[in-house]
Amino acid sequence: MTPLTSGTAGPLNGRVRVPGDKSISHRALILGSLAVGRTQIRGLLEGEDVLRTAAVMRALGATLARGAGGEWSVDGVGIGGLAEPEETLDLGNSGTGARLLMGLVAAHPITAFFTGDASLRRRPMARVIEPLSRMGARIIARDGGRLPLAVIGATSPLPIEYRLPVASAQVKSAVLLAGLGAPGATTVIEPEATRDHSERMLLHFGAAVTVAAAEGNGRRITLHGQPELRAANLVVPGDPSSAAFPMVAALLMPGSQVVIEGVGVNPLRSGLFETLREMGADLAFSNERVEGGEPVADIAVRASRLRGIEVPASRAPRMIDEYPILAVAAAFARGRTVMHGLGELRVKESDRLGAIAQGLAACGVKLAVSGDTLAVEGSDAPPAGGAAIQTQLDHRIAMAFLVLGMAARQPVRIDDGETIGTSFPGFVGLLNGLGATIAPVAR
Ligand code: S3P
């Protein structure tokens, strides 16, 4: 455990680049390992979660190496070519790693055992067990569909048509990855469009994927199974979910001007940018381009006076990881911010809805949770802060409350900063380089 404290900082100034996108990094390693030939990846996130996926792909028979300049090369084994791993696959804190890799193993005639840290072992896996079982895999899990579990992959996987009961890109991706090994068309129907990095990257590697509108804001995604994936180089954009932290910090610290370069601005990840703009944030996109099939931009942020707004449930899938930092921004805004449709936050790295509510209340912010709605009363002034926050193995809770501490009246302390390394290695140095004062707590 590494307790950290974050105290009042002056304006933030500078240009930074945040680490690579976590979702895209997992997928790059996985699809690169299934392709024929060598895939070179630049900008891969070298956070704990992604390094776990790299270790698993090695255990499944792919060859992955990091070059001296930080670029990764992946020599794939071809679809159907994975080997049975000798050891238990430990995904650490990573729900994405666990769920996507269960999909991958499900369509290979091998058996693999999965486990993770205390947070991951609490998270629901039934949502992937159910469709993967329909595709012919056998999965034996702990009570409630929890890790550790064993996946006995199908010898002849079946293509299915699957309607997602929850809007989850992880479940969609697990089914599509299993569908790669099945003959014919595997279709996933999602009630609300979720991040489409898997679809984009499958196309980039040469798979046939079609996407059509379904009822409401939903989509119908069809993959033609057993393609030959061709190695294809990739550049991973900066993670918008990581950019969110210096972005909100700059908005809250009067006088700040920060540019975050090379941030992924995929429309299915951009809910926070949209929401902050509605709240009055001064965010300017420039140098917009497409890299490796993903839209990217530089984002200039200026300190702004924010106002409370209503955030509809339909936006949740496009900003699902951003509610901890949005709730912090809302605490400084003028008036009430009401966020609807937060049920999925209960099953993230922690019960995030509970962790946000407890942490904000401890920092002197008024709020109410009713069902899956969170209402934060902004006081148009810095909240008291001064609290000790339990991060519960949740990197985004840790970072959100360090940002709150920078702009609050009293410093905020978190019990453990180590978890930040799962998604944002270098977070403390990057924020301090802009003018923050985050430091280890003297023991
Ligand atoms: C992710 C999907 C989201 C998100 C997670 C990454 C992905 O989870 O919260 O951090 O890479 O597919 P759900 O699919 O559970 O919503």
Side-chain angles (χ1 to χ4, degrees):
M1 301 270 265
T2 310
L4 296 176
T5 168
S6 156
T8 309
L12 302 186
N13 279 293
R15 293 182 80 86
V16 287
R17 223 165 233 281
V18 294
D21 188 278
K22 181 154 72 68
S23 295
I24 296 174
S25 295
H26 283 294
R27 288 157 171 84
L29 295 180
I30 294 172
L31 291 183
S33 297
L34 291 181
V36 176
R38 173 168 295 184
T39 290
Q40 304 268 11
I41 308 166
R42 279 199 292 130
L44 188 85
L45 168 64
E46 293 177 323
E48 263 302 306
D49 279 12
V50 174
L51 296 177
R52 297 273 180 172
T53 290
V56 168
M57 294 322 306
R58 286 194 185 105
L60 293 168
T63 305
L64 289 79
R66 182 187 193 276
E71 75 289 354
W72 281 65
S73 63
V74 181
D75 290 298
V77 294
I79 286 172
L82 298 181
E84 184 164 281
E86 286 187 24
E87 305 284 342
T88 297
L89 307 177
D90 184 348
L91 275 308
N93 195 247
S94 180
T96 307
R99 296 191 178 118
L100 268 55
L101 293 164
M102 284 172 66
L104 190 64
V105 168
H108 281 75
I110 59 176
T111 296
F113 296 85
F114 289 78
T115 192
D117 71 6
S119 154
L120 188 56
R121 292 195 308 268
R122 279 193 292 269
R123 297 182 65 184
M125 296 295 152
R127 53 182 62 196
V128 279
I129 294 175
E130 211 260 317
L132 297 178
S133 303
R134 287 205 214 170
M135 298 178 87
R138 281 175 53 215
I139 299 172
I140 300 158
R142 284 174 56 226
D143 188 34
R146 319 263 156 185
L147 264 52
L149 57 73
V151 178
I152 304 163
T155 315
S156 311
L158 305 168
I160 58 168
E161 176 169 308
Y162 190 65
R163 187 177 291 272
L164 294 181
V166 280
S168 165
Q170 293 178 359
V171 179
K172 166 175 67 178
S173 303
V175 173
L176 292 176
L177 286 170
L180 284 173
T186 291
T187 297
V188 179
I189 302 158
E190 45 183 10
E192 272 301 326
T194 66
R195 65 188 71 194
D196 60 355
H197 306 305
S198 298
E199 295 90 307
R200 287 173 185 257
M201 206 183 288
L202 281 162
L203 285 168
H204 188 67
F205 278 91
V209 180
T210 53
V211 181
E215 60 276 30
N217 293 324
R219 291 187 171 189
R220 183 184 173 89
I221 301 122
T222 301
L223 165 77
H224 293 276
Q226 302 180 335
E228 185 169 293
L229 300 183
R230 293 180 306 272
N233 295 344
L234 281 165
V235 181
V236 180
D239 197 326
S241 300
S242 297
F245 298 101
M247 176 179 290
V248 170
L251 288 172
L252 299 183
M253 303 299 305
S256 297
Q257 281 198 41
V258 168
V259 177
I260 312 170
E261 296 174 355
V263 181
V265 291
N266 181 317
L268 294 174
R269 296 286 297 282
S270 296
L272 178 74
F273 306 151
E274 217 173 290
T275 303
L276 289 173
R277 278 184 163 150
E278 281 177 24
M279 294 173 81
D282 182 347
L283 303 178
F285 285 31
S286 64
N287 200 8
E288 293 185 49
R289 61 234 187 235
V290 174
E291 284 178 2
E294 290 280 348
V296 175
D298 300 339
I299 306 179
V301 191
R302 278 170 191 271
S304 307
R305 193 166 167 217
L306 303 178
R307 58 181 170 271
I309 60 159
E310 193 94 11
V311 189
S314 57
R315 201 177 292 166
R318 291 190 290 116
M319 55 180 297
I320 193 65
D321 293 333
E322 278 63 82
Y323 287 99
I325 193 63
L326 174 62
V328 166
F332 290 77
R334 183 167 76 253
R336 176 184 300 167
T337 298
V338 186
M339 295 158 249
H340 298 280
L342 308 189
E344 276 294 298
L345 294 193
R346 298 264 187 215
V347 290
K348 293 293 176 189
E349 285 83 332
S350 67
D351 166 2
R352 268 191 191 154
L353 190 47
I356 294 169
Q358 261 175 33
L360 286 183
C363 289
V365 179
K366 290 205 177 67
L367 60 100
V369 176
S370 94
D372 62 1
T373 296
L374 168 67
V376 175
E377 303 292 339
S379 54
D380 199 18
I389 305 294
Q390 308 290 320
T391 51
Q392 303 173 41
L393 288 177
D394 191 328
H395 52 130
R396 298 200 205 282
I397 293 297
M399 292 185 277
F401 281 96
L402 288 173
V403 169
L404 189 146
M406 288 167 52
R409 295 203 299 278
Q410 296 295 324
V412 168
R413 171 184 172 144
I414 62 162
D415 63 347
D416 187 18
E418 270 165 43
T419 54
I420 293 172
T422 62
S423 68
F424 199 156
F427 169 82
V428 172
L430 184 143
L431 265 295
N432 285 350
L434 290 172
T437 51
I438 303 172
V441 174
R443 285 197 248 196

